[in-house]
Structures are given as C-alpha cells and as structure tokens.
Amino acid sequence: MSWYRPAGRPPVDVIAFTLFPNTVEPMELMMNRRELLIKAMVVASCVKAWPSPAKATGGAAPITLPDAGMAPPTPQKRWVALAEALKPSLVEVPYPAIGVVEPAIARDAPAGYVMRQRESMDALAQRTFNSGDSFIVDFGNHYTGYLAFHVGWSGKSSDAPVRLRLTFGEVPGDVAEPLYPYKGWLSASWLPDEIVNVDFLPQQVRVPRRHAFRFVKIDVIATSDNFSATFSDISVGAVSSAGVDRGRPARYDSPLWRDIDKVSIRTLHECMQTSFEDGPRRDRRLWVGDLRLQALTNYVSFGNHDLVRRCLYLFAGLQRDDGYITACVYEQPAPRIGEVVLIDYAVLYGSILLDYYRATKDKQTALELWPIAKRQIDLALKNVNEKGMFTAPEKDFVFIDWQESLDKQAAIQGVMIYSCRQLTALGDVLDLSSETDAYAAGIEKMIRAATRDLFDARQGVFISGKNRQVSWASQAWMALAGVLSQPLAAASLTKVMGMPAAVRPLTPYLYHHMVDALVASGARAEARRLVEDYWGRMVNAGADTFWEAFDPQNPSASPYGSKQINSYCHAWSCTPSYFIRTGFAKTKGDK
Ligand code: RAM
C-alpha cells in the first residue's frame, strides 16, 4: 500500500514531506519532496513589523468598513477588510535592562546554562569598550519590541564609526553560544542578530527591527585606536496587543503551578500582536493550529475576542481556490495566503469557531464563517475511502507534530473523527443540524475502521502504519475522537506513557493534545501530572516563556536541524493556563 499517493502518479508540483514515514516510496522521491517542502515552508521575507495603528472595535459589535457603501466584490475581500478593521493598535511600553550577566554552563539543566549577575547598569555605564569587547544585559523577563540604547565615547577623538553586533537571546544559550556556523534548514535570515554601524557619537540608537528577547549581547566589533565606546540607557520598547490578564486565579496548588501559569500567560502575551503570532521571534505569523490553542487560553485570560475574530476572518478571506484554508497566512505588507494546506489544521477551523462561539455567543460571526468550517471537512472527507479510512492526500499534508519518526495514519484518522464531531456540535448550537445530519454515518464508518484496523486489542493501544507503530499521537487523537469508551481510552493513554519504545511528542502542541485527551478520558490526575512534569521542567530550567519544541531526553532537539533557530516563546505551548483555569475539566458540550 502506498500511503502517500496513489500508485503510478507522477512526481508533481507538490510540496510533500514525510507525513507517513512508513510509505514504500523510493528514497530519492522522498528526498525531493523534503527539499520541496523545505522550500515551501521556509518563508523568505522577514518583514519589519512596526506597530500599525488601526481602529479596534469592542466585542462583536458591527464593524464599519473603510469603504462602507461600496459593496466589496467578493465575500473573501469583505472578510479580509473586516479582519483589517479589527487590527488592534499595539501599545508600546518602555522597560529598562536590569543588569549585566554572564552565562555559566549547567550540564544538568535542560537549558544548558544559567545566568550569573555580574554588575549593575550604573556600573556598566562607567566602563569603556574597545574592539573585541562584549557584554550581556538582562531585561529580567521576555519582551517583544524595539531595542534602544545610548552609545557615547571616551578618549582622544571619535574619528570612526563604531560597529556592533547585537545578539538577542530568548534563553541563555542564544547568547552564550555562537549562532554560527548555522546548519539548520530554515533560512539563516531568522537568526536573531544584527550588525549596527553608528557613524557619529554620541548617538541614541533604536533598532528598527522588532526582536523577541530577554538577553542582549553587545559585541564591539570595531572602534578606533583613538576612542572607546560607552553604553547607557539600554531599554526595550515592548509591544503587545494582549492587555490585562483578567483570569488570574486567586490561589494556586503550589508555587510550581503558579509559575507554570505565569509562564504560559507570558508566552501568550508575547505572541499577541496584530494577530496571534506563533512566535514573536519566528515565524511571526498566524498558523491555524497555534491559533486554536492560543484562543483557548485567551478566553480564560486576556479575553481579547476581537483578535480571534480577526484571525478567523483572515483565514476565511485568504482561502485557496478549492476552498481549503492554508496552514498559515501572512499579514505584512498586506494580507496574503500561505503556501501549504495541512489537512489536520484545516479541519480544525470548525473547532476554533465552536470555541469562539462558546466564549462569545457571537452567533452572527459563527454563522457567517460556518460555510468555511464545513467546507474544510467536506474537502478532507474526500480522502476517506469506502472502508472509512483516511488515505494519503494527493497534494496536501498532515502535520500532527514535528517528531520525525512519527507515523501519522492513526492520528489523522482521530483528527478527522474529532473534527467532524466538533463541526456537528457547532451545527447544533447554530441551529443548522439539518446540514450536519449526514456526517453521523461517516463518523460511524471512520470509527469502525479505526477500531477494526488500527486498534491492537492485545496491547490495548492503537497502532499506525504498516510497521504498526505505537505512539502518543495515535492514542491522544483517538481518545479525543471518542473512538473507545472513556475507561479504555484512559487505559490506552496511560499504557502508552509507560511504553519506552512508543514514539513521544517533540512539541508542546502534541503534549497539549495528550493532556486534553487525558482530561477527556477522565484521567484528570494523569493530565495534571503530565503538565507538571513537562511544562514544569521548562519552568525549572528557568524558562520565562514556553518553548516551541522540548524533548526532555534531548533538550537540544530541533525540528529544523539546529537549536539556534528554535523559537523559545511559542504560542502552542501556552495551554497549561487553559487547563489550570478550567480546573482540568471536560469542556461542556463535548462527548
Ligand atoms: C512551524 C511553526 C508553527 C507551526 C507549524 C506547523 O513553522 O512552529 O507554530 O504551526 O510549524
């Protein structure tokens, strides 16, 4: 069985990747696909994202479009216009650097380093720096914004420019280790450094590119023999659209739980800009999968419903010709469609809309976007064969997680069932059951296929692919899909967590689904333990914000071949606050 594409189909215009690693296809073809995917996933442009003042509207109030009166030609254009009208203004707040630090190797710590305090900012301002000197300042927390500082000089004459290298660190390792040589497969243009030439001293410098950081290393590349540089007033103009966290619990079960909540909220705060960005350092753009988890946490913290609504409109307005929404979209310089459809992301659009409706009761928006949600499911169901099994798509992809060895057959089967159920629930609350009645038979069929062909009753777990791979992903999504009874699902989840050979998640995105699956299966204590263990470990490693990828067994793991390019403030890792603030309770209305 060729999982990926029907036999005989020629290599195409597709960007493909090893969605189904057990596929029986020539290595050469798989390599080509990987190259193509890399080209597609890598986005060349790093845009300068100055905060753009725009009108913000409250709640789900009617929006006045700039061209009111002139009917926009298509619904898509109208949705993009609505999204733009909902673009929030960013508030810029200055924060000073709080001290000079130096990294110390900490072999046992997942971050690899701890920072030691070296001197105060006042002491730094008294020092002079020559070619080859460097120092690291600490801002005490993660910020997203614009670095500013004053460069002066002392000596005989400032007879040359001063050339500096600035390196921005979200974690100590970013500034403790050199960024180069860089061997990752995402563009090196993402690496968080800058060369700054200051021609005339003294000078106030503001770095025009937005950066995300707690630490900044300043290397003095060159002064001249006639002068030394001095540094003072180092600050960041921090930006976010998050506002005030209105959901902070009055008490926590322990200091660790308090810190996990705090770091989750900080992560979300930093990713909330003019859209829900996946990471303020990289990719700085809106992804469906990240949005879904950010929105959940947003409802129990900042309550910024308009930002969710803006993002829903952006995806709707930028859909592909066949009706699929792409996995990400761009905001700058103008709203633009992404390159790739990830089927698991696309079908979850309805789930985001359902969560949005539950949080806001904004029926009008939900009704308006209902056809988009339904279309994603209808298109994806074309990949389900007559036996009820999801089969590899011809030109689109499945994500689930960045774990390279993961076989995705069982997980996507679970995602399909789950998403059909979510759409049906949305149809029910919108009084559109007549449009979803037909899904019931399809759901039953997919469940039958899953229990018949993917459940190993002897082991009590789901298997995936021709090598019958056992993974956390398969159990998580099958549990969320409600394929087994709650006790059996809980048993499969706890069983897989105890199987050393089972394929584990690499990212907090999949860990979220594991926790959610435990909650949905009634295994609340295990869900709590997993959050404490996984996210708690990042907190204990000194994280100010949660990371894009974290493998406790291999803390340097990166989906992109180099930890220098990882994002250490990543949206999809913010959901512990959602679980904490909802008391690890099942969502009302879920099966
Ligand atoms: C990466 C980003 C993003 C994620 C996609 C699939 O590029 O980290 O968060 O949604 O992958």
Side-chain angles (χ1 to χ4, degrees):
M1 175 178 69
S2 168
W3 243 106
Y4 187 69
R5 183 188 295 149
R9 190 168 181 276
V12 275
D13 50 312
V14 207
I15 315 122
F17 62 110
T18 50
L19 295 178
F20 301 100
N22 296 324
T23 155
V24 281
E25 298 205 59
M27 187 52 102
E28 196 190 323
L29 208 64
M30 287 176 67
M31 293 298 288
N32 287 342
R33 287 189 187 140
R34 186 164 175 79
E35 288 306 304
L36 281 164
L37 171 76
I38 290 166
K39 285 200 183 111
M41 296 281 280
V42 170
V43 173
S45 59
C46 286
V47 282
K48 198 164 75 167
W50 282 100
S52 74
K55 218 171 84 204
T57 60
I63 305 161
T64 313
L65 295 178
D67 56 349
M70 288 165 55
T74 63
Q76 278 84 352
K77 286 201 171 145
R78 191 174 151 268
W79 288 327
V80 171
L82 286 169
E84 290 298 80
L86 288 164
K87 188 190 264 189
S89 309
L90 298 180
V91 181
E92 184 172 325
V93 184
Y95 292 93
I98 60 166
V100 178
V101 290
E102 60 190 2
I105 293 178
R107 288 195 201 291
D108 299 338
Y113 294 88
V114 289
M115 284 298 192
R116 300 232 166 91
Q117 287 182 10
R118 202 184 138 170
E119 64 187 354
S120 68
M121 294 309 289
D122 287 344
L124 176 81
Q126 302 308 314
R127 283 171 62 197
T128 58
F129 294 86
N130 297 313
S131 306
D133 291 343
S134 69
F135 62 92
I136 299 172
V137 291
D138 179 6
F139 281 84
N141 202 351
H142 187 285
Y143 292 103
T144 300
Y146 304 91
L147 182 74
F149 53 92
H150 184 268
V151 202
W153 65 279
S154 84
K156 206 164 158 195
S157 166
S158 76
D159 58 350
V162 60
R163 176 167 298 177
L164 309 170
R165 177 188 288 279
L166 311 176
T167 308
F168 296 84
E170 293 189 307
V171 290
D174 290 335
V175 286
E177 290 178 5
L179 293 176
Y180 305 95
Y182 168 66
K183 298 207 174 83
W185 59 262
L186 285 184
S187 172
S189 60
W190 285 116
L191 290 174
D193 64 343
E194 301 258 358
I195 301 288
V196 172
N197 295 299
V198 187
D199 283 329
F200 308 109
L201 304 182
Q203 189 72 250
Q204 183 65 26
V205 176
R206 176 173 158 113
V207 176
R209 184 170 185 232
R210 200 196 75 189
H211 285 275
F213 57 95
R214 169 172 173 170
F215 306 105
V216 181
K217 181 176 187 196
I218 300 189
D219 283 291
V220 179
I221 298 175
T223 56
S224 88
D225 291 345
N226 280 331
F227 77 96
S228 312
T230 60
F231 297 90
S232 58
D233 300 325
I234 304 179
S235 68
V236 56
V239 286
S240 168
S241 62
V244 179
D245 173 10
R246 291 186 227 121
R248 197 168 184 274
R251 57 169 293 280
Y252 293 93
D253 291 348
S254 70
L256 180 61
W257 281 108
R258 180 199 60 213
D259 291 348
I260 291 174
D261 188 51
K262 182 172 150 214
V263 174
S264 301
I265 294 300
R266 188 72 197 164
T267 306
L268 179 61
H269 176 276
E270 295 295 279
C271 294
M272 286 174 74
Q273 300 293 333
T274 50
S275 72
F276 282 97
E277 294 182 9
D278 62 334
R281 164 151 127 187
R282 207 222 79 243
D283 303 326
R284 299 171 55 156
R285 75 184 64 126
L286 173 62
W287 289 83
V288 179
D290 303 70
L291 168 63
R292 178 165 154 264
L293 305 195
Q294 285 169 297
L296 284 174
T297 307
N298 170 53
Y299 300 135
V300 293
S301 55
F302 302 109
N304 192 337
H305 299 157
D306 272 352
L307 196 63
V308 183
R309 192 173 168 211
R310 163 171 162 76
C311 295
L312 287 165
Y313 280 136
L314 276 175
F315 282 115
L318 297 169
Q319 60 191 278
R320 208 166 66 176
D321 286 349
D322 60 2
Y324 261 132
I325 57 164
T326 50
C328 76
V329 293
Y330 302 90
E331 292 181 86
Q332 303 270 10
R336 181 163 56 89
I337 189 170
E339 301 82 2
V340 175
V341 167
L342 298 174
I343 293 183
D344 47 336
Y345 273 21
V347 294
L348 287 167
Y349 183 85
S351 181
I352 307 174
L353 199 54
L354 175 61
D355 295 333
Y356 172 80
Y357 174 76
R358 282 176 176 160
T360 62
K361 298 290 174 289
D362 173 9
K363 197 165 181 178
Q364 197 188 330
T365 303
L367 280 170
E368 189 179 13
L369 297 177
W370 161 261
I372 314 290
K374 186 168 182 299
R375 183 91 179 123
Q376 307 312 303
I377 297 287
D378 292 342
L379 287 166
L381 282 173
K382 292 184 182 163
N383 298 302
V384 175
N385 67 19
E386 64 293 344
K387 292 186 180 143
M389 192 66 87
F390 184 91
T391 56
E394 294 218 340
K395 68 170 188 172
D396 297 311
F397 314 103
V398 174
F399 172 62
I400 307 292
D401 187 44
W402 276 119
Q403 185 58 266
E404 227 186 324
S405 58
L406 180 65
D407 187 290
K408 302 176 179 182
Q409 180 193 24
I412 185 65
Q413 183 82 7
V415 173
M416 288 299 299
I417 300 166
Y418 174 83
S419 305
C420 286
R421 286 197 200 272
Q422 294 284 94
L423 187 79
T424 307
L426 179 61
D428 289 348
V429 294
L430 297 179
D431 306 314
L432 294 169
S433 312
S434 57
E435 289 193 39
T436 57
D437 284 349
Y439 293 117
I443 292 172
E444 277 316 306
K445 210 171 181 185
M446 287 191 283
I447 290 176
R448 269 201 306 279
T451 42
R452 185 185 59 226
D453 297 336
L454 298 176
F455 188 62
D456 180 338
R458 193 182 51 82
Q459 293 192 82
V461 291
F462 288 93
I463 50 96
S464 185
K466 73 176 173 54
N467 291 340
R468 303 173 64 80
Q469 184 188 79
V470 178
S471 70
W472 289 38
S474 304
Q475 316 315 313
W477 277 110
M478 287 299 190
L480 287 167
V483 168
L484 299 176
S485 67
Q486 267 199 35
L488 277 181
S492 94
L493 291 164
T494 45
K495 181 128 196 219
V496 79
M497 289 196 287
M499 291 170 87
V503 176
R504 296 174 66 106
L506 175 58
T507 68
Y509 179 71
L510 184 50
Y511 273 97
H512 162 89
H513 291 110
M514 194 66 187
V515 175
D516 204 20
L518 286 163
V519 170
S521 308
R524 198 167 157 260
E526 285 79 0
R528 283 175 55 94
R529 209 170 304 132
L530 187 54
V531 172
E532 255 183 312
D533 204 46
Y534 183 68
W535 280 269
R537 218 178 278 222
M538 285 187 256
V539 166
N540 289 332
D544 301 293
T545 49
F546 287 126
W547 308 338
E548 170 180 24
F550 176 48
D551 175 356
Q553 260 75 57
N554 175 17
S556 315
S558 164
Y560 318 107
S562 164
K563 68 176 179 180
Q564 284 111 314
I565 210 82
N566 282 8
S567 150
Y568 292 92
C569 172
H570 214 71
W572 63 21
S573 62
C574 73
T575 54
S577 290
Y578 161 72
F579 292 116
I580 292 167
R581 294 170 183 214
T582 54
F584 286 81
K586 272 183 72 179
T587 310
K588 280 192 197 75
D590 277 0
K591 293 240 161 46

